Amino acid sequence: MTPILEVENLEVTFNPPTGEVHAVRQVSFELQAGEILGIVGESGSGKSVSMRALLGLTPTSAIVTGSVRVDGAIGSPAESADRVRKMAALVYQNPGAALNPVFTIGFQLGLAAGTTDRAALSALLEQVGLPEPERALDAYPHEYSGGMQQRAVIALALAQEPRLLVADEPTTALDVTTEAQILDLLLRLRDEHDLSIAFISHDLAVIRRISDRVIVLKDGEVVESGATEDVLSNPQEPYTQMLVAAMPGAASPRSIDEEASAPLLELSGVTVDFRRGGRERGTNRVLDGLDLSVRRGETLTLVGESGSGKSTLANAVAGLVPQTTGSITFDGIALVDPAVRKGRRKRSSTRRDVQQRLQMVFQNPLLALSPRKSISWQLHEPQRIHTARDRTERQRCIDEMIDRLELDSTLLDRRPHELSGGQAQRVVLARALLLDPEFIVFDEPTSALDVSVQAAVLDLLAELKRDLGLTYLFITHDLAVARHLADRIAVIRKGVIAELRPTEELFANPHDPYTAALLASNAALSATKVNSTALNSTPSGAQK
Amino acid sequence: MPYLLRRLITSLLVVLGVITITFAVARIVPSDPASLYAGPRARPAQVEQVRADLNLDAPITTQYTSYLGDLAQGDLGISFASKRPIFDDIVDLFPATLELALLATLVSMLLGIPLGVIAASRRNRPRDGGLRLFAMASVSVPVFWAALLLQLFLASRLGWLPLSGRTSPDVLFDETTGFFLIDSALSGSIGNVWDVVRHLILPVTVMAAYPTGLTLRLIRGSMIDVLNEPYIEAARLAGIAERTVLYRLALKNALAPALTILGLTFAYSISSAFLVEVVFNWPGIGSYLTNAIVRLDFPVITAAALVVTVVYVMVNLLLDLVHAKIDPRVVLS
């Protein structure tokens, strides 16, 4: 069997004024007819660039070398680009952007297929499982959900009668159910058309499901390649092992960090007294000599009834409670120092250094955002204070972040009241994340949101933590939420920690009677909620 | 409430606001309308007579309401200078201005849009540089200066084009529509049409300069954005001809954001006509208003302001409707 595409020693070098960047080095692979090749790597590993270089889509300033053999005809990447383009079609990550918004799907399909025959065009749409293909021909892209748009994009690709489909993260922008459908569609098309697919993804679960062989890229180099099952079940290279370990559902990363990690945040003997005004003068002891340590990389969830001191603890950690006494240490830096006279706060410069690394997300996003300033302004401001980024750099970070949090860039010009609750909470989250924090304190971040949005936000938080290596202190009164997210749970009662144990252990066998009572009272209430959060059913996530 | 009705009502409110402001300004300026109307050599008794006749001694609120009532009936008042109803003057003169403005807008779009596309598709290459220079120059050159220079060289020195006016004195035809291009064509004489065209070339060129440069730059900018979109890359990958990609697939996307400004350039042309008409001795609203300003002919000034306002408002409304037509994502509500 001769491969339809053979690539040898592909190199792509960019030459910006800041110095050469070797985006792709010595990449070689081959692709058989009807084969699905998974191209895996983290962002920046060169997986997209290498495929784009083969299609001649890299900027003209990029230097592309190597040799490419298409159907036996061998040449440099530049010489072969036309041949590859003739044979291949591209499926994009964001289907909304890959369809021209001001023309009907039928018109675009007709141009790509070179025909105006409605029967032929609707047959194409039928093939990709778009319901009511006749009607879809006259519809505009925005009338469809992301999954349906991706089907239309695949139809557009098929219209070119390709032998090779380059799929660049085609399911990343879709929710899980739709993702599965699109993967099934691609597998079926492969069988029906003997199509080869180069499937680019950072998601190993997706790769495992769809690809026959896989190449793993790191910093532009192939570190491992082979049959998908072999590579994923028995990775040889440390990098691949790391990727596999980070895969959800595989060997749990929780158990890895659990013992080894040093505490990032340590509280000991933390006490907060609030003065009571009015007739009964005196003090309220809200936190009473509380000890707690949060390990780097974990999610510690703090549960408790209202009035138990949860929020005060969060505020004390964030430095918002000047009355705090005892000792709070963040990464070895004393925020509240027992040696310093009571009631005195730490020098503000230390605070400022730590502030950037330690961010807070509040319960009500609309109260945490200034109602009078645009979202854009509010995302610039903390960066202006805490970072050395210039305006364009800040804007770039903001664009990346809103993209990452699946916010629309049109939000930037709005004011908080023009956002939905879920959007506003994402903006607050973006504001915190823009400072590249290591530690985020969440004070009931989802209790002001409705259930479906809550699930989406929780999933997002879990994903961010995994990708950015964050540590969370998460405060909630909702045990279902706690269970969904937490590595360990601390139960707080009357200003002290009543119990602190790994999540499943605590749920299986609560030691403290107070915890047991809390669990019992929550059990009935949360039965439905556990499902909705744990099963990740986010109807709102599908539409954009 | 239907979108159109709602928009018409708000448009009416805008017009009403402008009427009120112009009315107020005309009364604040320290001059006596009665003595202006009566003329410089009128005796005080005659001035008082005029004041009573024109109802100028009535309280200001009464004057305002009766003014509104007259406007509602299409009565724009009487010119102090000519003593003719202003409405009749405007009906006579407006087509001349409209002909200039429409042609200037047409020319600026026919030139600016394709040149903008070309500049964007050759971004940062010599042709783009040349076009940007052209755009910059045509936006920056003052209208009156360009007009005088063109008159000096093309009309006076070289004698290729007529200096001013809408027709040569010996060319006569029926002014049925007031649009001389149409009227001359209706007269059936090629010579007449050619004479009208020759008279149009210089004023239209001068008026089209600014909108052409603006259009070029706007289209270039929004085309550059659109050409970076994945759907354009996808279209090119699918082997669709570059011409189709640029002028059909990309341009329609690029037009939408530029459209608002493009439409406003038409309204701008109406006001820039004032200067051009004076220089080219063009018997339109602009010349009429300029004369009125010199003579403090307030009813004419307010009426002209009103006409320009109505044109602006209507063009804006029309633009929104066209925008919705171009971009299916726009919902009028």
Side-chain angles (χ1 to χ4, degrees), chain A residues 52 92 97 100-103, chain B residues 231 233 248-249 252-253 328-329:
Chain A
R52 294 180 67 83
Y92 291 81
N100 196 322
V102 299
F103 292 97
Chain B
Y231 56 79
E233 184 185 284
R248 281 215 75 171
L249 299 179
K252 197 173 172 193
N253 280 284
R329 288 167 299 179

Side-chain angles (χ1 to χ4, degrees), chain A residues 197-215:
Chain A
I197 301 178
F199 195 100
I200 300 168
S201 180
H202 69 279
D203 187 338
L204 288 181
V206 168
I207 289 290
R208 170 171 256 163
R209 173 149 181 187
I210 195 165
S211 70
D212 306 314
R213 280 192 312 122
V214 64
I215 59 177

Side-chain angles (χ1 to χ4, degrees), chain A residues 224-525:
Chain A
E224 194 160 0
S225 65
T228 307
E229 262 324 300
D230 293 349
V231 173
L232 295 191
S233 42
N234 186 19
Q236 300 299 313
E237 293 295 318
Y239 179 72
T240 320
Q241 287 166 354
M242 192 272 283
L243 285 181
V244 172
M247 210 166 121
S252 166
R254 286 178 185 178
S255 54
I256 298 173
D257 315 330
E258 194 135 13
E259 304 308 325
S261 292
L264 182 59
L265 180 80
E266 270 200 291
L267 287 76
S268 81
V270 171
T271 302
V272 172
D273 290 325
F274 284 131
R275 239 197 309 268
R276 243 196 336 252
R279 204 175 292 173
E280 293 177 83
R281 286 180 165 274
T283 54
N284 266 352
R285 177 145 291 194
V286 182
L287 294 182
D288 190 6
L290 180 138
D291 300 326
L292 183 68
S293 78
V294 185
R295 297 168 187 155
R296 192 184 286 276
E298 80 169 339
T299 299
L300 181 80
T301 299
L302 199 62
V303 297
E305 298 170 314
S306 48
S308 57
K310 312 189 288 289
S311 290
T312 306
L313 177 60
N315 291 339
V317 169
L320 301 174
V321 186
Q323 302 91 325
T324 309
T325 58
S327 143
I328 299 180
T329 320
F330 177 79
D331 198 18
I333 303 163
L335 299 182
V336 176
D337 196 334
V340 177
R341 195 152 39 90
K342 183 184 171 180
R344 240 260 185 92
R345 275 199 293 169
K346 198 60 191 165
R347 266 205 343 272
S348 61
S349 61
T350 318
R351 242 311 157 189
R352 180 181 277 208
D353 292 343
V354 172
Q355 210 91 64
Q356 182 190 339
R357 303 166 60 191
L358 188 159
Q359 286 290 308
M360 182 150 180
V361 173
F362 297 88
Q363 175 169 6
N364 187 337
L366 291 180
L367 295 179
L369 292 167
S370 165
R372 286 169 193 283
K373 295 285 187 182
S374 72
I375 299 303
S376 173
W377 189 91
Q378 305 198 43
L379 293 179
H380 272 287
E381 181 71 359
Q383 295 188 76
R384 212 169 54 70
I385 295 169
H386 284 291
T387 69
R389 295 170 195 156
D390 64 13
R391 207 185 153 73
T392 48
E393 177 72 7
R394 293 203 300 266
Q395 189 59 47
R396 197 184 57 74
C397 292
I398 290 173
D399 289 341
E400 263 178 38
M401 189 56 67
I402 58 171
D403 215 43
R404 155 129 233 182
L405 300 191
E406 287 168 33
L407 286 164
D408 198 303
S409 60
T410 57
L411 294 184
L412 290 178
D413 298 327
R414 300 198 206 153
R415 274 159 229 281
H417 68 90
E418 296 169 282
L419 307 182
S420 72
Q423 285 172 332
Q425 194 59 291
R426 280 167 204 249
V427 168
V428 172
L429 188 59
R431 186 175 62 179
L433 289 172
L434 277 168
L435 298 179
D436 301 324
E438 296 158 43
F439 187 89
I440 303 182
V441 181
F442 294 92
D443 187 4
E444 306 250 14
T446 60
S447 63
L449 308 175
D450 57 21
V451 181
S452 64
V453 180
Q454 173 175 334
V457 170
L458 289 178
D459 285 337
L460 177 66
L461 293 182
E463 185 192 317
L464 287 168
K465 184 191 159 212
R466 194 170 62 234
D467 293 354
L468 304 176
L470 299 170
T471 306
Y472 289 166
L473 175 60
F474 196 99
I475 290 164
T476 181
H477 66 273
D478 185 338
L479 286 176
V481 170
R483 187 174 196 169
H484 183 55
L485 214 63
D487 299 308
R488 292 191 303 156
I489 295 184
V491 181
I492 182 169
R493 183 189 179 209
K494 291 186 177 164
V496 290
I497 301 294
E499 186 165 6
L500 169 61
R501 284 196 300 143
T503 307
E504 290 313 317
E505 243 180 87
L506 182 107
F507 272 87
N509 179 22
H511 286 179
D512 192 272
Y514 174 72
T515 313
L518 206 61
L519 288 183
S521 67
N522 254 274
L525 255 174

Side-chain angles (χ1 to χ4, degrees), chain B residues 132-156:
Chain B
R132 280 157 72 190
L133 197 68
F134 165 73
M136 180 60 96
S138 66
V139 169
S140 320
V141 169
V143 167
F144 58 89
W145 186 74
L148 290 174
L149 274 193
L150 288 175
Q151 277 183 327
L152 183 62
F153 285 103
L154 295 181
S156 293

Side-chain angles (χ1 to χ4, degrees), chain A residues 52 57 90 92 97-103 107 111 140 142 160, chain B residues 230-231 233-234 236-238 240 248-249 252-253 326-329:
Chain A
R52 294 180 67 83
L57 292 176
L90 188 50
Y92 291 81
L99 294 168
N100 196 322
V102 299
F103 292 97
F107 177 83
L111 272 184
Y140 289 94
H142 72 275
Q160 303 161 42
Chain B
Y231 56 79
E233 184 185 284
R236 285 177 170 155
L237 266 183
I240 295 166
R248 281 215 75 171
L249 299 179
K252 197 173 172 193
N253 280 284
I326 288 185
D327 191 337
R329 288 167 299 179

